[in-house]
Amino acid sequence: MTKDITKVTPYNSEATKKSQVEDMFDNIAPKYDLLNHVLSMKIDVLWRNTLVKMMKKDNPQEVLDVATGTGDLAITIEKGTDAKVIGLDLSQQMLNVGVIKIKKLKLDGKISMQKGDAENLPFEDNRFDAVSVAFGVRNFENLPKGLAELRRVVKDNKSVYILEFSKVEGFLGPFYMFYFRNILPAIGRLVSKDNRAYTYLPDSVNAFPFGEKMKQILLDTGFKKVEYKKLSLGIATIYKATK
């Protein structure tokens, strides 16, 4: 039986999921980019590029990137669409790494970073031409509330783009799950020095709805049209939800 995603937390402590997620990302921030690229064999770069190619068709002028982390997707969006981007994240340490990266690329005039809560976005209704979240909705404490907030701040007839891990199905599934459950957490623990962060990753992916289930959740949130694209045999999926 699949565990409730809201009950899957990084440290299994008495603190709220939101607080634990913030602590986790603060802890692993210095090693996050290195681990991200190593553990995904840089295929995450291709996934972000695919999302931005989809978004570019909307010709966005201002984009909100929620759970921006160190800003990789925000940077890819700015380069691919020339839009102004606001990156928002719960973890100040992740944002600090992102700010340095953005300044080095001389993009601080186009990308701004701010601390904030995805479930209580500090923006007015119908503001953005597009909203994106890469590998962040899985960490929401209250998924329906977070998705409703994403929908609230995007303009009518515009879209929210969600890139999230899903599950490899078919004969390759067991091999991938072995890597995901055993090898990936071991490397993550060794490099990040955080014993739980990279065990939480497969636990949360295993509990998170994907494909048709996620599509239905987005429709139930009020989006009028939802389409999705599987990436790399289903390791990840992009959902385009139009308001």
Side-chain angles (χ1 to χ4, degrees):
M1 186 175 174
T2 303
K3 195 172 181 181
D4 179 358
I5 184 62
T6 62
K7 302 291 191 291
V8 179
T9 59
Y11 300 118
N12 299 322
S13 71
E14 294 301 311
T16 64
K17 178 173 181 175
K18 194 174 295 182
S19 175
Q20 291 184 57
V21 166
E22 181 178 0
D23 287 347
M24 177 185 74
F25 282 112
D26 279 347
N27 289 342
I28 66 175
K31 300 290 187 181
Y32 179 80
D33 283 340
L34 170 67
L35 274 165
N36 211 20
H37 296 320
V38 168
L39 294 173
S40 71
M41 294 171 281
K42 284 205 167 181
I43 204 165
D44 60 310
V45 175
L46 296 176
W47 296 341
R48 280 190 287 274
N49 286 337
T50 300
L51 185 154
V52 172
K53 281 178 186 173
M54 293 169 67
M55 183 187 287
K56 190 175 182 180
K57 295 174 185 175
D58 292 349
N59 191 30
Q61 303 303 303
E62 187 177 34
V63 178
L64 173 65
D65 183 41
V66 175
T68 196
T70 62
D72 276 351
L73 181 55
I75 291 164
T76 308
I77 290 169
E78 194 286 325
K79 288 183 174 180
T81 67
D82 202 35
K84 181 182 176 183
V85 184
I86 297 175
L88 178 137
D89 201 274
L90 201 57
S91 166
Q92 187 61 54
Q93 295 306 317
M94 294 283 278
L95 289 168
N96 292 346
V97 174
V99 166
I100 293 168
K101 208 157 47 171
I102 288 162
K103 282 183 178 175
K104 280 183 181 176
L105 293 168
K106 296 182 169 57
L107 293 175
D108 40 323
K110 295 296 295 282
I111 303 173
S112 60
M113 303 284 266
Q114 69 181 76
K115 183 171 165 56
D117 179 0
E119 294 165 41
N120 296 283
L121 293 173
F123 306 106
E124 64 271 24
D125 296 358
N126 307 304
R127 170 167 170 178
F128 296 97
D129 302 304
V131 175
S132 60
V133 191
F135 310 113
V137 294
R138 197 181 70 256
N139 299 321
F140 288 179
E141 187 169 83
N142 184 325
L143 180 61
K145 187 178 180 186
L147 295 178
E149 277 290 273
L150 304 181
R151 182 183 177 279
R152 179 181 68 77
V153 300
V154 77
K155 291 177 181 175
D156 287 337
N157 300 311
K158 298 296 185 180
S159 301
V160 172
Y161 294 84
I162 296 170
L163 170 59
E164 190 52 87
F165 287 114
S166 41
K167 291 180 190 173
V168 177
E169 297 176 301
F171 75 97
L172 286 175
F175 298 101
Y176 179 71
M177 284 311 295
F178 179 82
Y179 166 77
F180 209 45
R181 286 190 173 282
N182 298 282
I183 298 170
L184 181 149
I187 297 170
R189 280 193 295 272
L190 188 68
V191 178
S192 73
K193 310 301 182 191
D194 188 305
N195 287 329
R196 269 293 299 169
Y198 288 87
T199 304
Y200 165 73
L201 175 58
D203 287 350
S204 61
V205 170
N206 194 48
F208 195 76
F210 67 98
E212 287 296 312
K213 285 185 179 179
M214 184 61 177
K215 178 179 177 178
Q216 190 57 55
I217 290 169
L218 288 162
L219 289 170
D220 291 344
T221 303
F223 290 100
K224 63 185 180 185
K225 182 183 177 185
V226 179
E227 52 197 293
Y228 62 92
K229 179 183 180 70
K230 290 183 180 181
L231 305 170
S232 306
L233 302 174
I235 295 174
T237 301
I238 296 172
Y239 303 88
K240 179 184 178 184
T242 304
K243 183 173 174 179

